[in-house]
Amino acid sequence: MEFFVLLILLVVLLLLAVPIIAWVRASKAARVAKEDQDQVRSLTARVFELEGEVRLLKNLLVQTRPGAPVVDVAGQVATKEFKPAPEPGIITETPPAAAAPPPVTPPPPSVAAEAKAPTPAAGIGAHARPSMARRFFAGELEETLGTNWLNKLGIIILVIGVALFIGYQLRTLGPAGKDIVGIVVAAAMLGAGIWYERREQWKILARAGIGGGWALAFFVAYAMRHVQAARVLDSNAWDLVLLLLVGAGMVAHTLKYRSQTVTGLAFLLAFLTVNANRGDLAGLSGNVVLVIAIALIAVRLQWYELEVFGILAAFLTHYYWLRPIIQPLPQPHGEFPGYRLSSALLAFYWLAFLASYVVRQTGKRREEIVSAAAIILNSGLFVWLMGYQSAHPEKAFQFFLMSGAVEFAVGQLPVTRRRSAFVLLTLIGTGLMATAVPFKFSHQSLSVLWLLQAEILFLAGVYLREVVFRRLGMAVAFLAAGQILIADTRQVMDAGIALPHLAIPYFLGALILYFNAHVAPRRWPELAGHKIDASAFRIASYVAAPLAVFGVWVACSDPWTAVGWAAFGLALVYSGFCWKVREVSIEANCLAAFVILRCLFVNLADLSHWHGVPLRPVTVSLVAVLLYVSSRWALGFETFSRRLSERIPAAYTWLGSMLAALLLWYQLQPIGVAIGWMLLGLALFEIGMWRHSGPLRWQAYVAYLASFSRIFFVNLNAEGAAGALSPRVYTVLPLALAFYYVYDRLENSQVDFLSSDRKFNVSTFLNYMGILSLASLVRFEFDADWVIVGWAALTLALFALAWRTGRRIFLHQGLLLSFAILFRGIAHNLYERSYFPAPLWSWYSRPLCVGVSIALLLAALMFAFRLRRKEESGEKPQGIIARLFDLLGRRPEQVLFFVSVILLTVLLAIEMRSGMVTVAWGAESVAVFLFALACGERSFRLSGLGLLLLCAGKIIVFDFWEMTTPDKILTALVVGSALYGVSYLYTRYRETLRQYL
């Protein structure tokens, strides 16, 4: 009953729409007439103004004659007389002064005001339409309601009431009595309508009564056989003849008035009354009569709006009959009583309206649009009801294929190829046949059907240039997308495995929406002219993206989903770049984020194999490569701000590099991760240099930093097999070489695109990473006592490299390493070894390790002397560290010498017994003094002299009080000889020494 009430309301709204449209048209005509009057008034005012200007010009011409007074525009006589120059050979006479011209008569004030006021353009708010409240108080709306709308509403309610009365089981009247009551009421309504229709005042009310009377008469003829409470006939054939006669009379009489409203009201009420009291299936024969009549009238009188209402009434009343039968049945259900006859009736409705559409001749665009709406509605309702009552879902493929073939074949007939019917029927037929394919391979029929129906509507609107069809098609497409994303996704999640055939609706929906959003507006630019349509196209693009993403997820297994998403993202990026489409670029960027999350949470933890091949390195590598390729076209134009457009392509490469680094982390052995990151950085650096890409180079630098950091946690702690090459050597040494290689490339390249690298001193950091790697390798690979020897050898190599290349950075590193030698030599070799000293002549003895280190440091002095720089540099370096390096770099030999002297002095103090320390230091001081004389360094000489004086003081303060007599003698002899010898040297080489002061 609720559906019946809704159907009544729908019919009422459709009937009320007709007078509303008529009233709107009349209002528009009145507004246009008023605008024409305004334009006439404006033109009249302009004519008056032009006449005044002409009259003024005439007066000026008269006044400018020779001898005439000059009158200005305001009509005042000028003080100076106008005397034109006489022409040669012509004698001019001065005529008497002309009389003053009459004053110019200005136009009426109202006309002048109208002439000055700008005339508003028609249809742009020049005469605003009165508001609803104003029209209500003026009586206009009240009159429309009382004279037009209320009579139709009343006749509808009256006819339905009589129909329900006839169907009611009232025993006092009996079937014949009820039929007689219905006939009397119908005759009364017809008679009164015919009588009052002749008078203009009652014409609208009378025509409503005529329509209601014929509808009631048709229902009484139907009830005589098919309504139990009013049944007086036992033969379906006789009842059919009676229905045909009444229907013919209804058509013939209502057509007399040439009113689509009257005829439509009669037919719609006939549909409602026939179906108000449910009967058997044979009772639907009344619908057959009404369908035939409506189809014939629509073709004959070109009342195509009536046909639209007829299609709705025929199929919806059939649904009203079907619903109580289908609803209690289990799903899926078998054939119910009357199933085949019901299918035949639906097919008859469909073919009847299809034939009506084919044979008609449309001459106006509006008629073609209404006809197109009718045929689309006819096909859609037919397919819907056939699917609703279907008892054989397995035959859906044959049904869609056959019905689509019929529509397509009819569209190719010569009678349809001359009209837009060719396009519409071809589209509908093709869509139905295409719909048949998923039914053969998938159960997701509803989503596919909606998508194709939506696209048919959209393309029909494009071809017919009808915005309603296009927007309706877009709305249905959005509805289908929601169905796919919610219902179909739930089905896939319940399955729990990848089912490629279930992805068909996702891909089809994405393809259709992308076509509507981007291809159609480019092919037909006028489609996006309105703001609503442009917004719908943008929304369609954003809806298509998740459809495609879910489609890839449904079609691919877990490891391959990220690869599919990355490939789809590459397609989006390239499309956005070529078409300059903002929406597609945004979708691609969002999809890249989903790809990364998928790889982090799924692919990197995947341990599955395919034919023995691990899938993790394959899938993650493919995703990284696709991200690198996508960066080529990721926002290559200024879709957003310029700064963002430059950073988003770099983000793609950063994401790809991150995935590659994580894959190496998961896939390689712990000790090989640093090597893998180093090789990745090397590849990124070379590509960045080749492509002049700053982001790729910075990714390489980050990879180098990560590999450098990792060696301190993993590689340097690795232990190798006895007798084999240590893993620390073949994993750390290549890193140091790579760091120095990149440093050299950067230092030797003076191109402009490396300006950012120079700004942050990247080459300096890489160089220090290289020396720290080598120094750390020496620290962990050498024996503890020989570490300073390795560092001393590195210091010698660094000083030699600084001298050979002229790069001060190696000098600075050598100086830092010499301080490290001093610290480790004192802390470990001299102090720690004092508790557990090695034998004097063993490999680990302190004199051997420290002595070799001192020898290497002193050997580096020959390069240090050549690297020293006494003059001040032009610009003082900024910062404490920079100033310290500059200070030490000017005299690097000082650092090497004093580090060596300190180590040797402490070594002698520890290794010699207490009585012989002063002797050893005295010998050392003489050697230092002689070395200073050879080098010509005053600081060296002063250090030797100071050490000698220290020995003298030590003898006086400590030695003579604690030492034995032999030791005292030896100490005194050696130190005394040393003091004397040094004094001799000072005297002998006085002039030479003055040169070094």
Side-chain angles (χ1 to χ4, degrees):
M1 191 62 183
E2 293 83 356
F3 174 75
F4 185 64
V5 174
L6 292 175
L7 184 62
I8 293 174
L9 293 177
L10 176 63
V11 174
V12 171
L13 291 175
L14 292 175
L15 289 176
L16 294 179
V18 175
I20 291 175
I21 294 173
W23 179 72
V24 170
R25 289 179 177 176
S27 301
K28 183 178 180 180
R31 186 170 64 253
V32 171
K34 193 173 185 304
E35 291 171 356
D36 293 340
Q37 294 177 1
D38 294 339
Q39 291 180 357
V40 171
R41 188 180 297 107
S42 175
L43 291 174
T44 303
R46 182 58 179 164
V47 169
F48 274 107
E49 184 180 358
L50 292 175
E51 288 180 352
E53 292 177 357
V54 170
R55 189 178 297 110
L56 182 60
L57 290 175
K58 288 182 178 180
N59 293 336
L60 291 176
L61 290 175
V62 171
Q63 295 168 5
T64 54
R65 291 175 182 174
V70 178
V71 181
D72 58 9
V73 178
Q76 302 295 329
V77 178
T79 58
K80 190 174 182 179
E81 189 176 359
F82 178 79
K83 296 182 178 180
E87 297 182 6
I90 301 178
I91 300 174
T92 59
E93 296 181 358
T94 304
V104 178
T105 305
S110 60
V111 177
E114 292 179 0
K116 293 180 180 179
T119 303
I124 312 181
H127 303 282
R129 187 177 178 181
S131 63
M132 181 70 73
R134 187 180 297 276
R135 288 188 288 119
F136 175 77
F137 287 109
E140 181 181 352
L141 183 60
E142 181 182 357
E143 180 182 357
T144 303
L145 288 171
T147 59
N148 200 353
W149 295 1
L150 294 183
N151 63 76
K152 294 178 175 59
L153 183 61
I155 203 66
I156 290 172
I157 297 173
L158 177 61
V159 171
I160 293 175
V162 175
L164 294 175
F165 169 77
I166 294 174
Y168 183 66
Q169 298 288 344
L170 191 60
R171 298 180 180 179
T172 56
L173 291 178
K178 296 173 186 175
D179 294 337
I180 293 173
V181 170
I183 293 173
V184 170
V185 174
M189 294 173 67
L190 279 172
I194 294 171
W195 176 263
Y196 285 101
E197 198 277 336
R198 301 172 185 174
R199 303 181 182 181
E200 187 66 27
Q201 182 180 1
W202 305 102
K203 183 175 292 186
I204 297 177
L205 182 64
R207 290 185 176 182
I210 292 172
W214 276 114
L216 185 58
F218 189 86
F219 170 72
V220 172
Y222 166 82
M224 288 181 180
R225 174 65 183 90
H226 300 290
V227 178
Q228 184 65 33
R231 180 176 295 171
V232 295
L233 295 178
D234 296 329
S235 173
N236 288 331
W238 282 107
D239 183 68
L240 181 60
V241 172
L242 183 60
L243 285 174
L244 290 173
L245 291 176
V246 176
M250 176 176 65
V251 171
H253 184 255
T254 55
L255 291 181
K256 173 184 176 183
Y257 303 103
R258 296 288 177 174
S259 174
Q260 192 169 184
T261 303
V262 176
T263 306
L265 181 62
F267 274 103
L268 291 174
L269 286 175
F271 272 110
L272 291 177
T273 53
V274 166
N275 293 276
N277 296 278
R278 293 181 50 81
D280 55 5
L281 185 60
L284 293 178
S285 56
N287 283 9
V288 175
V289 176
L290 294 174
V291 166
I292 295 174
I294 287 177
L296 293 176
I297 293 174
V299 174
R300 181 70 179 83
L301 298 179
Q302 297 182 352
W303 287 355
Y304 303 129
E305 292 85 352
L306 176 63
E307 186 184 47
V308 173
F309 297 149
I311 292 172
L312 285 171
F315 284 102
L316 292 180
T317 52
H318 198 94
Y319 168 77
Y320 174 69
W321 179 84
L322 275 175
R323 189 171 181 271
I325 299 174
I326 301 298
Q327 194 171 13
L329 296 178
Q331 299 296 333
H333 59 81
E335 293 188 5
F336 53 86
Y339 169 76
R340 296 182 182 275
L341 184 56
S342 175
S343 301
L345 284 174
L346 290 174
F348 174 78
Y349 301 157
W350 171 55
L351 292 174
F353 290 118
L354 180 61
S356 170
Y357 178 70
V358 171
V359 301
R360 69 186 57 179
Q361 297 293 331
T362 57
K364 298 180 180 179
R365 183 173 179 271
R366 176 176 175 79
E367 295 175 352
E368 192 64 41
I369 292 174
V370 175
S371 299
I375 193 60
I376 294 174
L377 196 62
N378 179 47
S379 301
L381 291 175
F382 170 63
V383 172
W384 169 56
L385 280 180
M386 288 294 288
Y388 179 72
Q389 71 165 16
S390 174
H392 302 284
E394 69 279 1
K395 295 183 179 180
F397 174 74
Q398 293 86 341
F399 166 74
F400 279 102
L401 190 63
M402 293 179 61
S403 57
V406 170
E407 298 261 10
F408 186 83
V410 172
Q412 312 310 310
L413 297 176
V415 69
T416 57
R417 292 186 67 87
R418 296 190 299 268
R419 300 170 28 230
S420 61
F422 161 71
V423 176
L424 282 178
L425 292 176
T426 302
L427 288 173
I428 295 173
T430 304
L432 291 175
M433 289 188 290
T435 306
V437 177
F439 282 99
K440 192 70 174 178
F441 303 98
S442 172
H443 297 289
Q444 297 168 298
S445 57
L446 182 59
S447 302
V448 176
L449 177 62
W450 280 358
L451 285 172
L452 294 178
Q453 195 74 19
E455 191 62 12
I456 290 172
L457 283 170
F458 180 80
L459 293 178
V462 171
Y463 179 78
L464 297 173
R465 298 180 181 178
E466 178 54 49
V467 66
V468 176
F469 289 173
R470 295 200 307 269
R471 293 176 181 175
L472 183 60
M474 293 295 291
V476 176
F478 292 150
L479 182 63
Q483 163 75 14
I484 295 171
L485 293 174
I486 297 174
D488 294 352
T489 304
R490 186 185 302 114
Q491 178 184 355
V492 174
M493 295 178 68
D494 293 340
I497 58 175
L499 301 173
H501 67 277
L502 296 181
I504 294 176
Y506 293 92
F507 292 134
L508 181 61
L511 182 63
I512 288 175
L513 288 175
Y514 272 129
F515 173 82
N516 294 350
H518 302 299
V519 179
R522 286 178 171 270
R523 175 63 179 82
W524 300 282
E526 66 275 6
L527 298 182
H530 198 278
K531 184 178 180 180
I532 295 178
D533 298 311
S535 301
F537 290 148
R538 286 194 297 270
I539 295 174
S541 180
Y542 290 131
V543 174
L547 282 176
V549 169
F550 274 93
V552 174
W553 172 67
V554 172
C556 301
S557 59
D558 282 345
W560 294 99
T561 300
V563 179
W565 286 355
F568 176 56
L570 175 60
L572 289 179
V573 166
Y574 184 74
S575 301
F577 174 79
C578 294
W579 289 354
K580 304 295 185 292
V581 181
R582 177 189 180 95
E583 293 79 15
V584 174
S585 299
I586 294 175
E587 295 161 10
N589 298 335
C590 295
L591 184 57
F594 281 105
V595 170
I596 294 300
L597 293 176
R598 181 79 181 181
C599 288
L600 293 178
F601 291 102
V602 178
N603 291 68
L604 289 175
D606 181 57
L607 299 177
S608 59
H609 290 71
W610 181 74
H611 295 289
V613 178
L615 292 180
R616 178 168 61 189
V618 175
T619 56
V620 177
S621 299
L622 288 175
V623 171
V625 170
L626 289 171
L627 288 175
Y628 282 130
V629 176
S630 299
S631 67
R632 172 65 179 81
W633 300 289
L635 285 179
F637 59 97
E638 295 184 7
T639 304
F640 306 100
S641 64
R642 183 176 180 180
R643 190 173 183 181
L644 184 61
S645 299
E646 294 175 353
R647 290 186 176 183
I648 287 183
Y652 275 83
T653 58
W654 278 102
L655 293 175
S657 300
M658 182 187 71
L659 283 182
L662 288 175
L663 177 62
L664 293 173
W665 173 291
Y666 279 90
Q667 202 65 27
L668 297 178
Q669 294 294 330
I671 199 172
V673 172
I675 294 293
W677 287 351
M678 180 270 293
L679 295 175
L680 173 64
L682 191 60
L684 292 173
F685 176 78
E686 291 298 336
I687 297 174
M689 293 290 288
W690 171 49
R691 300 282 301 176
H692 297 182
S693 174
L696 289 178
R697 295 195 306 275
W698 281 99
Q699 293 160 31
Y701 304 150
V702 172
Y704 290 145
L705 181 61
S707 62
F708 171 73
S709 303
R710 185 170 176 82
I711 64 175
F712 294 97
F713 298 96
V714 178
N715 297 66
L716 293 176
N717 297 316
E719 294 291 343
L725 183 63
S726 172
R728 289 188 287 257
V729 176
Y730 60 75
T731 58
V732 177
L733 188 58
L735 265 65
L737 296 177
F739 298 152
Y740 280 122
Y741 166 77
V742 178
Y743 161 78
D744 187 67
R745 287 289 308 274
L746 292 175
E747 287 296 319
N748 292 330
S749 300
Q750 301 300 324
V751 291
D752 294 335
F753 65 84
L754 293 177
S755 58
S756 62
D757 308 59
R758 299 190 192 98
K759 178 181 178 182
F760 292 96
N761 297 319
V762 174
S763 60
T764 302
F765 283 104
L766 287 170
N767 195 310
Y768 275 97
M769 286 163 56
I771 190 57
L772 288 175
S773 300
L774 292 177
S776 301
L777 178 62
V778 170
R779 161 64 181 84
F780 285 90
E781 189 63 21
F782 282 27
D783 292 326
D785 295 310
W786 282 86
V787 170
I788 60 171
V789 177
W791 286 356
L794 278 179
T795 303
L796 176 61
L798 288 172
F799 273 86
L801 195 60
W803 168 73
R804 183 69 180 83
T805 61
R807 295 176 180 174
R808 308 289 292 181
I809 186 172
F810 295 111
L811 171 63
H812 298 161
Q813 293 173 0
L815 294 175
L816 289 176
L817 203 54
S818 63
F819 285 114
I821 293 171
L822 175 63
F823 175 79
R824 180 170 180 87
I826 294 176
H828 175 77
N829 295 75
L830 300 179
Y831 175 76
E832 187 176 352
R833 273 298 186 179
S834 62
Y835 294 97
F836 305 99
L840 181 62
W841 302 107
S842 69
W843 180 255
Y844 303 103
S845 66
R846 284 179 298 193
L848 180 61
C849 297
V850 177
V852 172
S853 301
I854 294 173
L856 292 173
L857 291 177
L858 293 176
L861 282 175
M862 61 180 178
F863 302 108
F865 279 114
R866 299 181 181 182
L867 291 171
R868 64 183 178 179
R869 188 175 54 194
K870 294 183 179 180
E871 65 278 6
E872 294 284 342
S873 58
E875 295 182 1
K876 292 185 178 181
Q878 301 296 326
I880 298 177
I881 297 178
R883 288 198 297 269
L884 180 61
F885 273 124
D886 182 69
L887 178 63
L888 296 177
R890 289 202 296 267
R891 301 296 298 273
E893 74 282 356
Q894 304 294 323
V895 177
L896 294 178
F897 174 78
F898 282 104
V899 167
S900 302
V901 169
I902 293 173
L903 285 176
L904 180 59
T905 302
V906 177
L907 175 64
L908 293 175
I910 294 175
E911 287 294 329
M912 304 299 290
R913 60 187 177 88
S914 60
M916 298 301 295
V917 171
T918 307
V919 175
W921 282 1
E924 179 190 1
S925 64
V926 174
V928 168
F929 193 84
L930 293 175
F931 183 76
L933 291 179
C935 297
E937 282 293 325
R938 183 169 181 267
S939 59
F940 294 177
R941 191 173 66 252
L942 292 177
S943 63
L945 183 59
L947 185 59
L948 186 60
L949 294 176
L950 178 64
C951 294
K954 184 174 181 294
I955 292 173
I956 297 173
V957 177
F958 298 103
D959 295 345
F960 279 98
W961 304 98
E962 298 178 357
M963 296 171 58
T964 61
T965 302
D967 291 341
K968 291 179 182 179
I969 296 171
L970 180 61
T971 302
L973 291 176
V974 172
V975 173
S977 299
L979 290 171
Y980 186 80
V982 170
S983 176
Y984 170 78
L985 293 175
Y986 265 104
T987 304
R988 175 70 176 82
Y989 300 101
R990 179 183 303 175
E991 298 299 329
T992 304
L993 291 175
R994 287 177 179 176
Q995 298 177 7
Y996 299 110
L997 296 178

